Structure formats: C-alpha cells, structure tokens
Amino acid sequence: MLDTAAIWGLTGTTVTSFMFIWAIYSQYVPRHLRSYIEKYAYKMMGWVSLYVHIKFTEYTDEGLKRSDNYDAIRNYLSTNSAARALRLKADESKNSKALVLSMDDHEEVEDVFDGVKVKWHSNVKEIQTQSSYGRSSSGERRFFTLTFHRRHRGMIIESYITHVLREGREIGLRNRERKLFTNNSSSEWYAWRSGKWSNVPFHHPATFETLAMDPEKKEGIKKDLIKFSKGKDYYKKVGKPWKRGYLLFGPPGTGKSTMISAIANFLEYDVYDLELTTVKDNSELKKLLLDTKGKSIIVIEDIDCSLDLTGQRKTKKEEDEEEEEEDEEEEKKEAEKKKMEGEKQSKVTLSGLLNSIDGLWSACSDEKIIIFTTNFVDKLDPALIRRGRMDNHIEMSYCRFEAFKVLAKNYLEIESHELYGEIEKLLEETDVSPADVAETLMPKSDEEDADVCIKRLVKTVEEEKEKAKKLAEEEEKNRAEREERRRKKKEEAEEKKKKEEEDKKKKTEEEEKEEKE
C-alpha cells in the first residue's frame, strides 16, 4: 500500500503531466481542429451523462440586443445567492438600505423546485473580435447554465423555467431604480465598462403638478400618457408597434426638458438621452436603440441642430446680413466648414434616423416613448415630424397667466395677490419664458417675502415689454433699410441692364452702318 509521500508524488506527477499535455495541445493544435475535437468530446460526454445543461446568454447570438431572460434569471438568483453562494458581487441601490448581492463570475448555487434539485452556474467567456480596421479586440460574454437530471426534463422546461422568469421579472420591477442613460462612443463599447450606454440614477423632481402650463393642456397630456401605458392589447389589435412619439417645440426656457422629466416621473420610465453627434453611422444608431429597454423614453434634444438632418440655427442678425454679398459668401464658407466637421464626426442620415424610430427596427421592443425637442419647428423636415412618427405635437409657449399661477403657488405658496390683475395683463402683452418668471419669483434671501417677489416680477415684465417695443422698432427700421437696399439694388440692376441693351443696340447699328459702307 502506498504511503502518503508516494501518493502526493504520484498526484504531483499526474498534474504536471496533464498541464504539460494541455499546454502542448493549446499551443500546437490548430484552433479549427481543437473546435472539432471539443465538439465530439462534448457529444461523447452527452451520451454517458445523466444531466441536461441549458445555457442562457447575456446577449442574443448576434450580440445586438441584451436578453431580458438573462436579467430575469439574475434577479431571481440574487434572492438565493446571498445565502448560499461563496463569492458574491455587491451593487449599490438607492431603493435598498443594504447592498444588493448577486452571484460572482464562475460561481454556483443550488435551487429546489417541487422537491427537484437544480444547479445554476454563472460563467463568463472572453472572446476575440476583429474590427474593420484589422485590429483585434477582446470582450466578455456572460451566461448562466442550468443543470438538472434528465428524468426531470419535462417539469423543468414546462414549469420551472417559467417560474424563474416570472419571479425574476417581478423582483426586477420591485427593485427597479429609474435611470438616466447617455450613449457612449462606439470606441468605448466594452463589456467591462457600461457597454453602449452609461447611466446615473434619475432623481429629477419635476411633476405635472409643478409644471408651468395651462391645467387643461396638462390634463390632456396626462390622459394621453395613461391611454398609451395601458394600450398593449390595443396596439397589437390595430397592428402598430407599442410606441408613441412626442414633439416638444417652443422658444428656449419654456420647459421642454422639464416636461420630459415630468412624463418620466408620471409613467415611472427610464430616460435615454441620445446624443446623435457621437453616433458614427446608421448601423451604430440601430444597435444603440436595440440596447434600450421597454418602459423608457428616448430623447433627442434640439433635433434642429443635430448633424445635417435639418440644417443649423441662424440668428435674426445673421439672416439680416445675408442680404449683403460679403456676408453671404462668408456664411457659405462657414456652412461648408460645419458640414465637413459633421461628416468627420457622424454619418447618421435622416433616412437612417427615420428607419430606426419608425421602420422595421422600431418593432423590436415595446412600451417606448420617443421625444424630439426643438426651438425652431419650421426648420424640421416634414417627414421627421409627421403623424405616426411624432404623434403628439406639444407647443411649449411663453408664460401666460395660468402658468404664472402655478409658478406662484410653487415658489411663493400663494394663490392670489392684489397685483394679479396687472400681471395677467402684462403677461398677455409680453413674451416672457417660464424660466425667467420662475427665477424672478424665487426669493433671493430670507428677508424677501411674496410681496417683494411679486412686485419684482411686475417691474421685470414691464422692462421686458419696453425692450420688446424697442426691439420691434429696431426691426422695423432694419426692415425698411433692407427694403431700401433691395430697391436700390434693383434700380441699379435695371439701370445696368438698360445701359447694356443701349450699348448693344448702338454697337449693332454701327456694325450695320459699316457693312453698308
């Protein structure tokens, strides 16, 4: 009988030999041959094994869309892993007083369902990919493996997996922390980072109750949102993807971003802030949208400034200067420069954007709201904002009296004042944004009360009214000057044309006279 030293020596020799053979196999056997050998080795093991293995991957085989089933399984296992797994991953959650614990990579836990024991394995596999530039890059692909005895195949597939997915989705909804996402550049799409999207917790406090808008208009928007959120069966019946588009348009400071936050809080949806200028091309845009989840809002702010989709903003001053030839030439050069810079950064086209939000790809996931915002709705391509794409057009206008009363209640906690009549008249005659009104109403010190703030608002709006009047007079003067310049140019052109015709006629007469002589 072998003694302890001999047993340890034999074990060491065996392990060393195995490692040597494995190193030779990994280094000198070609990759395609190894795949062939491993394929049949697994098949032979399957013939003699009494256990069945089911693999649940983090992404689809094409790697385009994250698997909802994987997330549900991870949520389900998190309830068991804290008590049974030896290695755990700790994540912070605002909605939980303690850390949220989940299985670490290459960990295993057991679960029991109707007296049947199963095992879950958490795995991660490193893969090598080849880019279009010839560079190789590495990434990680995670997956869960469910192992059970073959005699329980029917029960596991028909009952247990359904139970796990249902429980996992319910746990996800209970523990869900709403988030604000922004897209990463494709050069940062690594699994060890945040992938295609980075996120932070969404804590914006805006609600419809605090939104400065006419109450009837707010109520109409809320009813529309409720109808959409409960419309899964209806959209399926009429044959439309379960999504809805909103176009928010109006001058700066009228509450477009606040409206988005109020909608997100009202429906309890996540928000995806899509920055088109960092998206390389149409294919990358589709991948980004496929990586978004349901119960979310996809936002493209200032769509009129995005790439070459609609053209760039121009100020009134620039539009006026276009009348002169020098400025026209300069603006053409500037526009060409911006266009070249845009081409360097992104090749997303209007067609690509339309196909992503409203084409075949838009039906790949449900319960999404798409919101565009713009300060200049007239500059947008009609195809981009037609009904069916942007179903509900909401004008975010200047602050009128009804919106002012909401702001006064929010900031000063008052519902009436002796100056309300004067303020109503001023706001109907003067265009002031809700942001400016809110800033004026906000107390600047502990000594300022509601009366001080209301009087300051009256003074501010009166000053804005006077400024608007002067601006209108200046614009009228500029308009008259432009008309005069146009008239002079027209007269000069006509005079020049008349002179050219006279010179031509005179020359023709001289030529005819010479021919006769």
Side-chain angles (χ1 to χ4, degrees):
M1 188 173 179
L2 297 175
D3 57 11
T4 303
I7 293 175
W8 280 108
L10 180 61
T11 302
T13 303
T14 304
V15 171
T16 303
S17 301
F18 176 78
M19 293 177 64
F20 176 76
I21 295 171
W22 179 255
I24 296 296
Y25 169 79
S26 301
Q27 186 171 357
Y28 294 104
V29 177
R31 181 184 294 272
H32 66 277
L33 184 57
R34 293 206 306 270
S35 301
Y36 189 79
I37 295 172
E38 290 169 5
K39 173 183 175 182
Y40 283 95
Y42 282 125
K43 185 175 290 188
M44 291 178 62
M45 291 172 61
W47 289 339
V48 299
S49 175
L50 298 176
Y51 290 89
V52 178
H53 307 275
I54 301 179
K55 183 178 178 182
F56 298 88
T57 57
E58 185 178 12
Y59 287 88
T60 59
D61 291 337
E62 295 80 10
L64 293 176
K65 189 174 185 299
R66 187 178 176 89
S67 171
D68 293 333
N69 291 336
Y70 179 90
D71 290 335
I73 293 170
R74 185 183 59 183
N75 292 334
Y76 175 83
L77 294 177
S78 66
T79 60
N80 297 324
S81 58
R84 302 178 184 178
L86 297 179
R87 288 183 295 112
L88 304 169
K89 287 191 295 186
D91 298 311
E92 294 183 6
S93 175
K94 176 178 176 292
N95 296 335
S96 177
K97 296 180 180 179
L99 292 174
V100 177
L101 302 178
S102 58
M103 291 173 61
D104 197 5
D105 297 332
H106 306 295
E107 188 56 74
E108 173 186 311
V109 294
E110 292 184 350
D111 191 25
V112 178
F113 181 75
D114 285 348
V116 176
K117 183 181 293 186
V118 299
K119 290 184 179 180
W120 286 97
H121 302 263
S122 174
N123 305 288
V124 59
K125 181 179 181 182
E126 186 171 337
I127 59 172
Q128 296 288 334
T129 58
Q130 196 79 10
S131 68
S132 57
Y133 301 100
R135 299 176 181 175
S136 61
S137 59
S138 61
E140 293 180 340
R141 285 290 183 267
R142 287 177 169 77
F143 59 93
F144 289 115
T145 303
L146 172 62
T147 304
F148 56 90
H149 199 281
R150 63 171 58 177
R151 66 170 173 265
H152 303 302
R153 179 192 294 264
M155 187 269 287
I156 296 297
I157 293 176
E158 294 173 7
S159 301
Y160 177 68
I161 294 178
T162 303
H163 162 76
V164 169
L165 297 179
R166 182 178 64 252
E167 290 290 320
R169 292 188 180 108
E170 291 178 358
I171 293 170
L173 288 175
R174 289 197 301 269
N175 298 336
R176 179 170 172 258
E177 180 181 24
R178 293 189 300 114
K179 295 182 178 180
L180 173 62
F181 294 84
T182 185
N183 53 303
N184 298 322
S185 171
S186 58
S187 61
E188 301 175 356
W189 288 4
Y190 301 117
W192 52 270
R193 294 190 63 167
S194 47
K196 299 177 179 64
W197 297 90
S198 298
N199 67 80
V200 295
F202 183 75
H203 298 154
H204 200 291
T207 65
F208 276 103
E209 286 68 30
T210 61
L211 187 65
M213 179 182 282
D214 183 86
E216 292 185 6
K217 193 172 183 179
K218 285 196 288 188
E219 195 62 30
I221 296 171
K222 288 167 66 175
K223 289 180 179 178
D224 186 73
L225 292 170
I226 293 171
K227 182 70 174 176
F228 167 78
S229 64
K230 297 179 179 179
K232 180 177 182 179
D233 295 335
Y234 177 78
Y235 277 83
K236 184 177 181 180
K237 183 181 72 173
V238 299
K240 289 183 62 176
W242 190 14
K243 66 178 184 62
R244 190 157 178 79
Y246 287 82
L247 174 67
L248 308 182
F249 64 96
T254 51
K256 294 183 286 295
S257 298
T258 305
M259 169 65 81
I260 295 170
S261 300
I263 292 175
N265 288 330
F266 183 70
L267 295 177
E268 297 186 349
Y269 281 8
D270 293 325
V271 178
Y272 289 85
D273 184 12
L274 179 58
E275 178 55 62
L276 284 179
T277 55
T278 64
V279 182
K280 185 172 62 176
D281 51 33
N282 294 335
S283 175
E284 189 172 297
L285 176 61
K286 291 175 183 176
K287 292 177 181 178
L288 278 167
L289 295 178
L290 281 172
D291 204 40
T292 60
K293 297 182 179 181
K295 290 186 175 295
S296 63
I297 301 173
I298 299 172
V299 179
I300 302 179
E301 293 197 274
D302 293 323
I303 186 71
D304 53 295
C305 290
S306 297
L307 310 177
D308 275 353
L309 302 179
T310 54
Q312 297 293 326
R313 296 181 182 174
K314 295 178 182 177
T315 64
K316 188 68 178 174
K317 183 178 179 181
E318 290 172 337
E319 291 175 355
D320 294 341
E321 291 175 348
E322 283 182 359
E323 301 297 331
E324 300 181 10
E325 294 180 1
E326 303 171 350
D327 294 333
E328 285 181 355
E329 189 66 27
E330 185 179 341
E331 287 187 0
K332 286 179 182 178
K333 291 179 181 179
E334 187 67 21
E336 188 66 26
K337 181 181 177 182
K338 289 180 178 179
K339 184 177 180 182
M340 292 175 64
E341 290 176 353
E343 288 175 353
K344 291 178 183 178
Q345 294 176 356
S346 176
K347 294 183 179 179
V348 174
T349 63
L350 176 61
S351 174
L353 178 60
L354 296 180
N355 289 333
S356 297
I357 65 172
D358 190 44
L360 295 174
W361 291 88
S362 67
C364 294
S365 59
D366 287 333
E367 200 171 357
K368 289 183 181 176
I369 290 178
I370 301 171
I371 297 180
F372 292 165
T373 73
T374 178
N375 295 341
F376 305 93
V377 67
D378 294 335
K379 291 189 176 184
L380 298 182
D381 192 303
L384 187 64
I385 59 175
R386 68 162 175 82
R387 305 292 177 175
R389 290 189 175 123
M390 295 293 105
D391 306 285
N392 196 344
H393 295 191
I394 302 174
E395 182 178 5
M396 307 297 292
S397 61
Y398 288 109
C399 186
R400 301 307 177 202
F401 187 62
E402 292 298 325
F404 157 75
K405 289 195 294 184
V406 175
L407 292 173
K409 185 177 181 180
N410 292 342
Y411 285 84
L412 304 176
E413 298 181 352
I414 63 172
E415 296 186 1
S416 63
H417 192 276
E418 60 183 11
L419 294 177
Y420 266 27
E422 185 177 350
I423 290 174
E424 181 176 8
K425 183 180 178 182
L426 285 170
L427 290 177
E428 292 301 324
E429 297 172 348
T430 312
D431 290 338
V432 184
S433 71
D436 290 334
V437 173
E439 178 59 28
T440 306
L441 289 176
M442 183 181 293
K444 304 301 187 291
S445 67
D446 293 337
E447 289 76 21
E448 291 188 353
D449 57 9
D451 190 59
V452 172
C453 296
I454 289 292
K455 289 179 179 178
R456 181 170 59 214
L457 176 65
V458 172
K459 182 180 177 181
T460 301
V461 178
E462 286 176 344
E463 292 174 353
E464 288 296 324
K465 183 179 178 180
E466 190 63 27
K467 287 180 184 178
K469 183 179 178 181
K470 290 181 180 179
L471 183 61
E473 292 173 353
E474 186 178 342
E475 287 181 354
E476 184 64 30
K477 181 181 178 181
N478 292 337
R479 190 180 301 110
E481 291 176 353
R482 289 197 302 270
E483 290 294 332
E484 182 65 20
R485 287 199 299 268
R486 291 195 193 100
R487 187 183 64 78
K488 287 183 178 180
K489 285 184 179 180
K490 187 176 180 181
E491 289 178 355
E492 291 173 357
E494 290 176 353
E495 187 69 25
K496 184 178 179 181
K497 184 178 180 182
K498 185 178 179 181
K499 186 177 180 181
E500 288 176 351
E501 289 177 351
E502 289 177 353
D503 292 343
K504 186 177 180 182
K505 184 178 180 181
K506 186 177 180 181
K507 185 177 181 181
T508 304
E509 290 175 352
E510 290 177 352
E511 289 176 352
E512 289 177 352
K513 186 176 179 182
E514 289 176 358
E515 287 178 359
K516 288 180 181 180
E517 291 177 352

